[in-house]
Structures are given as structure tokens and as C-alpha cells.
Amino acid sequence: MPELPEVETVKRAVSLVALGGKVGAVQFHREDLRDPIPIERFQSLVSNQIITDVTRRSKYMILTTSAGHAIFHLGMSGRILILDSDQIEQKHTHMVMAIERKDYAAKFLHFIDPRRFGRITCCTHEEKNSFSLFRDLGPEPLEHDFDLGKHLWRKSRKRSQSCKAFLMDSRNVVGVGNIYANEALFRAGILPEKAAGAISLSRYRLLATEIVSVLNAAIQSGGTTLRDFFNALGKPGYFAINLAVYGRNGQPCLVCNNPILLQRIVGRSTFYCLSCQH
DNA sequence: AATCGCGCCTGACGGC
DNA sequence: TGCCGTCAGGCGCGAT
């Protein structure tokens, strides 16, 4: 499910009900997802605390309390639903967090993840800056206070790997997963297999612009719907209809009508147009 | 140091 | 109908 736009969409929905609320009971129905869940620590840093902030870093959603941070990652198949009941209605619900508010009845944040590639963890305020999950992350593409194109260009010098692999490496820039890497490279007219180190500054500037615009467009339309994405209130997003290349192999390029091609690059399906991308 | 392949899981889908 | 192979939006580890 989730790339940055989907996590951002979930974060905004969670923020509406969680910000200023108080965490009540947190029930875990598994002790591990991708990694063991530090349940006792989670209970002490998060349960019975007021939620002072709901943020996103890379593809992690973070609930902040005065004691620390609850950290969620949705992996490939994770979802967060905000429901009126703590009753489990999904086969793979691994955690239910009560959120109590003064102004209306409690809501329940359900964490669901069939493949269990996601994570639930936590850390204190002191730990956050050096926390292993965050330590090596690159910049946020949607923060406007730096030159993303120049950053990518500088980081990619002497790199032989494909520009698509480079783009999807969160140490270089966060939040660009397989769908939006394909889309951004198409919009920028760059061949995904081209070596990252062989691309000019001006083309990286264009690529940066397209990354930002495709991510913003996706957020705008509430996240991509593929098989199973629903935002936190259970409404489907509608962005998938706007994808220009992802999943369109064999179909005509929307710009030039030549067929969209499919190739594997570093193990991921890569869709591109040979006449539009160089 | 940089790069790549693989494995972690379940579920959906298509071919036979 | 069911069985089997393949594929899936992410990421971290180990081998080279």
C-alpha cells in the first residue's frame, strides 16, 4: 500500500481525531511484526498520555506524547483505520489503540497488516535524533527549504547504479517508492536504468520538480488506490487512474502512443516509454 | 564503499 | 472447482 502520499493521507486523518486526545488502552494481538514490538515500553511511553503531535518522517507515522513517540510503519500491506469500536473486524488486526476525547466518544486506531512487513515501535524524546530507523534517512522531498535537485545531483556523482535505484534509496531522499519513482522518471523524461552519476544538474532539477509534483498530486487525491488502499476513514483514494506508466505495460504511452515497456530494475517492476525517456 | 539479490509474509490473480 | 506459480506499494541483511 503505502508510499509517502498514502502515509501522509493516513497521518492527516489520524491527526484529526488524535491530536489533543488521550491514549487509552492499547491492545496488542501480536508480539512481533517485522521486528518484535517493545510492548512494555510502548505502554509506558504512550498509554495514558496526551497526544501532542502527529507527524510523518519518511514513511513512518509518529504519535508524540510528553513521554516519547509511538512509531508506525505500514510495510507493503499495512493499513490504519479509525473506527468507533475496539472490536476486531479484520483478520490481521495487530494493535488497537483507544483515543479518548472530551468532545466526543472515543475512537479506536486499528493497525492492520496481513504481510507483517510493517513495524510498531517507540522511542523517547532523547532517543529520537539518533534512533536507528531515522538516523540514516535523507531529506523530505516536500520540505521547501532546500534544493532537492542539487542535493540529488551532488549525492549521485560517481554512482554507477541506476537512477531509479538511487531515487528509491531512502538515504538519498525519502518517500519515493516504486510507483512514484516510475511516474517521476517518466514525467522528467529520464530512462530508469540510466546511471545516476551520468545525469546532469539541470535534469536532476527537473526530476526534483516532478517528484514534488507527483507526490503532491497523489496527496491531493487522497493516495493511490491499488488492491487494498483505503485511507484511515475507510474511503478509497482515486489517484490510480492518473498513473501514466505504472502498471500500464503494453498500453500506449499517453504522450506518444508507443507501448509502455516493463523491465526489472534491482528487483522492482519498472515501467517506461523508450521514446519519451532517455 | 557501493551495489545487488534475497528473504521476510499473506493474498490475489491467471493458467491449466 | 482447485492447485500452482507469480506477483505485490518496503526494507534490511549478507555476499561480492
Side-chain angles (χ1 to χ4, degrees):
Chain A
M1 184 222 359
E3 295 195 23
L4 183 151
E6 288 74 18
V7 181
E8 179 66 24
T9 302
V10 167
K11 181 210 84 179
R12 291 179 185 185
V14 168
S15 183
L16 291 178
V17 302
L19 198 56
K22 183 182 173 192
V23 179
V26 183
Q27 308 163 243
F28 289 96
H29 301 285
R30 272 195 80 88
E31 299 192 341
D32 63 331
L33 297 168
R34 181 185 184 118
D35 298 311
I37 302 168
I39 294 178
E40 278 188 30
R41 201 145 189 263
F42 195 99
Q43 300 289 14
S44 78
L45 294 180
V46 180
S47 298
N48 301 311
Q49 305 282 334
I50 303 290
I51 298 166
T52 57
D53 218 351
V54 181
T55 53
R56 177 188 58 72
R57 172 70 174 118
S58 186
K59 295 168 189 165
Y60 298 94
M61 183 181 78
I62 305 168
L63 298 190
T64 299
T65 72
S66 56
H69 308 277
I71 300 163
F72 301 91
H73 193 289
L74 300 175
M76 288 279 262
S77 57
R79 296 162 60 192
I80 285 175
L81 296 181
I82 298 162
L83 302 176
D84 293 326
S85 160
D86 62 356
Q87 202 71 30
I88 289 178
E89 55 178 51
Q90 305 277 331
K91 188 174 168 189
H92 299 287
T93 300
H94 306 310
M95 185 215 74
V96 179
M97 173 188 287
I99 297 177
E100 300 160 356
R101 303 270 308 221
K102 286 188 185 143
D103 42 347
Y104 51 78
K107 297 281 184 181
F108 298 88
L109 203 150
H110 291 234
F111 183 99
I112 300 142
D113 184 8
R115 291 174 76 180
R116 307 201 299 275
F117 290 175
R119 296 175 198 272
I120 299 176
T121 188
C122 56
C123 69
T124 64
H125 292 282
E126 294 72 38
E127 289 164 340
K128 192 183 175 203
N129 281 339
S130 59
F131 199 57
S132 60
L133 295 180
F134 301 138
R135 199 182 44 215
D136 299 324
L137 293 176
E140 291 286 335
L142 300 184
E143 285 179 8
H144 296 290
D145 53 355
F146 75 110
D147 185 338
L148 177 60
K150 192 162 192 180
H151 167 83
L152 292 174
W153 174 77
R154 202 179 309 138
K155 278 217 107 180
S156 62
R157 293 309 85 191
K158 313 232 163 131
R159 298 294 197 84
S160 63
Q161 68 181 155
S162 68
C163 60
K164 179 157 177 270
F166 175 81
L167 211 54
M168 291 177 66
D169 185 333
S170 62
R171 291 169 298 186
N172 301 320
V173 59
V174 302
V176 185
N178 198 33
I179 291 181
Y180 302 115
N182 277 293
E183 294 298 313
L185 287 166
F186 172 76
R187 287 167 170 234
I190 299 171
L191 207 55
E193 64 187 332
K194 191 172 172 73
I199 296 172
S200 68
L201 174 59
S202 62
R203 298 191 84 198
Y204 270 114
R205 287 221 157 98
L206 174 59
L207 178 58
T209 302
E210 298 301 348
I211 290 169
V212 170
S213 87
V214 78
L215 292 177
N216 276 328
I219 291 168
Q220 200 88 38
S221 53
T224 296
T225 302
L226 288 179
R227 282 188 190 85
D228 56 4
F229 177 70
F230 291 82
N231 74 23
L233 303 172
K235 299 269 171 44
Y238 293 101
F239 188 63
I241 57 170
N242 292 326
L243 296 176
V245 287
Y246 185 86
R248 295 196 63 245
N249 51 313
Q251 298 174 46
C253 172
L254 300 176
V255 173
C256 75
N257 271 345
N258 284 311
I260 299 299
L261 303 179
L262 169 59
Q263 181 189 344
R264 293 215 146 244
I265 293 182
V266 285
R268 311 302 297 273
S269 289
T270 302
F271 304 88
Y272 62 102
C273 172
L274 201 46
S275 71
C276 293
Q277 294 170 259
H278 300 281

